[in-house]
């Protein structure tokens, strides 16, 4: 049939969900090869590899429940049935789109590897991700957050670390996973810059700013030596036991600063959105923001133009006497 196959088309009866261990016979070996391809040939991050493996495993379990004995028996109807069952179970549009993308990546790879004779997901139409505006702090809120973190910097090594972390996240717009992956040697004081490693192990250099550099230097001088132990990694940020700070601990640090500042719904990704929006509001062009954030395409960065427009409209309606 010509054209894409809509998700909402009639589905084969799936019956009860299969048991956790039920998979097509050759699925474990095929999944292992797929994961190796993602990790070593595509250079995907560990988090992306885990997500793709989980999504494809769920697809193959669903197919096994429909009687598929080996991966080569996967058809478009099976993929549609899986997505339809997920929609009925309450998956969001974003979740459905992400899992459909994982399925397409897998089936396309499986065709090239001759595991599948045809690509069952190639013509699959899925709902677009919703383009909701991200949480963005205004300049006064961002200042309150940084000041609250700075006020706690004298409380001990953890306070100094949290202050440096908050300043760094807001200054650079880097992802939390990128910031916790930074090493001490990645700080370039002469250029006021920081080297980070983003998705696909791609490195980029982002501006740092004096307040962030001062907070980092204070942490390195007064905080990090107190948390470092024998065998500590060269990580810029350390946890309480001397290991590299993880993303969960970084989120908790931002949440502590937000509570102290009287702010709600503030997390590391909100600081990324905030940094991008403030840079754009300050006159930077979209290409500069793309480079700052490490987006592969300008399309991803374009959401920040909508954020800036929304802020302009809100300010207009608050301020104009005839609004």
């Amino acid at each position: 049939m010509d054209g894409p196959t809509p998700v909402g088309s009639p589905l084969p009866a799936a019956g009860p969900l299969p048991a956790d261990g039920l998979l097509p016979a050759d699925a474990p070996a095929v999944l292992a090869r797929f994961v190796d391809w993602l990790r070593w040939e595509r250079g995907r991050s560990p988090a992306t590899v885990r997500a793709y493996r989980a999504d494809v495993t769920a697809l193959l379990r669903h197919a096994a429940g429909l009687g598929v004995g080996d991966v080569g028996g996967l058809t478009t109807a099976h993929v549609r049935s899986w997505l339809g069952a997920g929609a009925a179970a309450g998956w969001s549009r974003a979740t459905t789109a992400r899992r459909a993308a994982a399925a397409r990546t897998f089936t396309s790879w499986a065709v090239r590897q001759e595991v599948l004779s045809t690509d069952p997901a190639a013509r699959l139409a899925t709902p677009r991700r919703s383009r909701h505006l991200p949480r963005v702090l205004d300049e006064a809120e961002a200042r309150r957050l940084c000041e609250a973190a700075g006020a706690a910097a004298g409380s001990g090594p953890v306070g100094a670390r949290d202050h440096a972390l908050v300043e760094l996240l807001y200054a650079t717009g880097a992802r939390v996973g990128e910031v916790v992956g930074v090493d001490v040697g990645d700080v370039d004081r002469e250029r006021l810059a920081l080297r980070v490693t983003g998705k696909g192990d791609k490195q980029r250099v982002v501006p740092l700013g004096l307040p962030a550099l001062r907070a980092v230097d204070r942490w390195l001088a007064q905080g990090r030596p107190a948390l470092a132990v024998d065998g500590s990694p060269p990580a810029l940020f350390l946890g309480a036991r001397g290991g590299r700070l993880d993303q969960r601990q970084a989120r908790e640090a931002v949440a502590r600063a937000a509570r102290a500042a009287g702010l709600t719904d503030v997390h590391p990704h909100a600081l990324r959105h905030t940094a991008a929006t403030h840079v754009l509001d300050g006159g930077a062009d979209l290409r500069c923001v793309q480079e700052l954030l490490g987006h592969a395409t300008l399309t991803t960065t374009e959401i920040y133009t909508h954020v800036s427009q929304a802020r302009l409209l809100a300010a207009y309606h608050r301020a104009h006497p005839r609004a």
Side-chain angles (χ1 to χ4, degrees), residues 194-216:
L194 183 74
R195 183 172 63 248
V196 298
T197 302
K199 293 183 177 181
D201 287 330
K202 293 181 180 177
Q203 289 192 341
R204 69 185 189 280
V205 175
V206 294
L208 194 53
L210 280 173
L213 183 60
R214 292 190 191 106
V216 167

Side-chain angles (χ1 to χ4, degrees), residues 33-34 37-38 41-42 104-119:
R33 290 166 55 197
F34 177 60
W37 174 76
L38 287 172
E41 294 191 37
R42 295 297 303 274
R104 278 194 293 268
T105 300
F106 171 72
T107 57
S108 174
W109 169 86
V111 169
R112 293 194 301 274
Q113 297 296 312
E114 300 183 353
V115 174
L116 290 167
S117 58
T118 59
D119 190 341

Side-chain angles (χ1 to χ4, degrees), residues 59 65 91 100 122 131 148 210 217 224 257-258 269 272 320:
L59 166 62
W91 289 357
R131 299 279 286 180
L210 280 173
D217 283 343
R224 193 180 186 282
H269 219 64
R272 175 171 167 83
H320 198 293

Side-chain angles (χ1 to χ4, degrees), residues 4-172:
T5 305
V7 172
S9 295
L11 308 172
L17 289 175
D20 285 347
L22 182 59
L23 282 169
D26 58 343
V30 172
L31 280 168
R33 290 166 55 197
F34 177 60
V35 165
D36 283 345
W37 174 76
L38 287 172
R39 181 183 294 124
W40 304 119
E41 294 191 37
R42 295 297 303 274
R44 299 290 188 175
S45 70
T48 298
V49 172
R50 285 194 299 270
Y52 273 50
R53 179 187 175 90
D55 289 341
V56 174
T57 299
L59 166 62
L60 295 179
R61 281 180 180 149
H62 185 85
L66 296 172
V68 174
D70 59 72
V71 177
L74 191 69
T75 68
T76 301
H78 299 129
V79 182
R80 283 169 37 209
S81 175
W82 176 58
L83 294 173
W91 289 357
S92 68
R93 288 167 62 92
T95 298
T96 301
R98 191 203 78 212
R99 290 178 175 164
R104 278 194 293 268
T105 300
F106 171 72
T107 57
S108 174
W109 169 86
V111 169
R112 293 194 301 274
Q113 297 296 312
E114 300 183 353
V115 174
L116 290 167
S117 58
T118 59
D119 190 341
R123 292 180 173 270
L124 198 70
T126 55
R128 287 189 172 187
R129 294 174 184 264
S130 59
R131 299 279 286 180
H132 66 280
L133 298 183
R135 165 78 159 110
V136 174
L137 281 66
D138 61 33
E139 290 185 23
E141 289 173 326
R143 187 180 308 111
R144 278 167 50 199
L145 180 70
C146 292
E147 289 174 351
S155 64
V158 171
R161 181 201 67 199
D162 290 358
H163 179 215
L165 178 69
V166 168
E167 289 278 8
L168 205 63
L169 285 165
Y170 175 48
T172 64

